[in-house]
């Protein structure tokens, strides 16, 4: 499952931070920003994090997240816009994009055209992938 590999890369990154923190004892909180276009199953990701963190400094850490709405940009006229989650879900369902977008969120741009100039040369500026916003670490006093 894709969520498992995401969980593993998150853990690897925060363990690096942990190892570079003098006196670090335990990771207590992980804050994530999750791009809406990644269609990540949040519950599956949290579960994968819980399982994969067993026996690591991140075991039992609280996981907080925010969902980052997508921002698209037209490469022809420079127009930028966003879409609502409802609209995204409709598109995903209509074209059966669930598994494809999960791995390659950029695919969604093929189903859009610029609302201003009609160009199909569109890029995703925000709203994909998982970003670690912050990590809280307990240290020895
Ligand atoms: Zn345009």
């Amino acid at each position: 499952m894709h969520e498992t590999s995401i969980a593993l890369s998150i853990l690897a990154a925060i363990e690096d931070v942990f190892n570079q923190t003098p006196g670090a004892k335990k990771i207590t909180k992980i804050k994530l920003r999750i791009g809406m276009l990644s269609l990540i199953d949040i519950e599956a990701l949290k579960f994968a994090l819980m399982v994969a963190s067993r026996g690591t400094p991140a075991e039992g850490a609280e996981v907080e997240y925010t969902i980052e709405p997508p921002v698209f940009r037209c490469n022809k006229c420079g127009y930028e816009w966003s879409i609502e989650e409802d609209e995204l879900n409709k598109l995903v369902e209509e074209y059966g994009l669930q598994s494809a977008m999960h791995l390659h969120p950029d695919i969604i741009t093929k189903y859009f055209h610029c609302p201003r100039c009609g160009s199909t040369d569109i890029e995703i500026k925000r709203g994909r992938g998982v970003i670690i916003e912050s990590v809280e670490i307990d240290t020895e006093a």
Side-chain angles (χ1 to χ4, degrees), residues 39-86:
L39 304 180
I40 283 170
D41 180 336
I42 310 269
E43 287 312 309
L45 178 62
K46 282 172 110 175
F47 182 75
L49 277 169
M50 189 185 76
V51 171
S53 66
R54 277 183 196 149
T56 77
E59 182 170 358
E62 193 186 331
V63 179
E64 272 188 13
Y65 65 89
T66 51
I67 301 290
E68 182 178 66
V71 176
F72 301 99
R73 183 178 188 278
C74 171
N75 285 325
K76 203 173 162 199
C77 74
Y79 187 67
E80 288 185 10
W81 75 101
S82 185
I83 58 169
E84 299 292 328
E85 193 166 10
D86 288 0

Side-chain angles (χ1 to χ4, degrees), residues 70-125:
V71 176
F72 301 99
R73 183 178 188 278
C74 171
N75 285 325
K76 203 173 162 199
C77 74
Y79 187 67
E80 288 185 10
W81 75 101
S82 185
I83 58 169
E84 299 292 328
E85 193 166 10
D86 288 0
E87 201 181 335
L88 175 66
N89 289 339
K90 233 173 71 187
L91 264 174
V92 167
E93 196 153 309
E94 193 176 340
Y95 296 107
L97 297 174
Q98 176 73 41
S99 49
M101 270 187 64
H102 203 44
L103 296 169
H104 306 288
D106 294 73
I107 281 175
I108 191 82
T109 60
K110 301 202 188 317
Y111 297 86
F112 277 123
H113 47 85
C114 172
R116 193 161 79 178
C117 76
S119 165
T120 52
D121 184 5
I122 287 157
E123 65 170 309
I124 298 171
K125 278 201 76 181

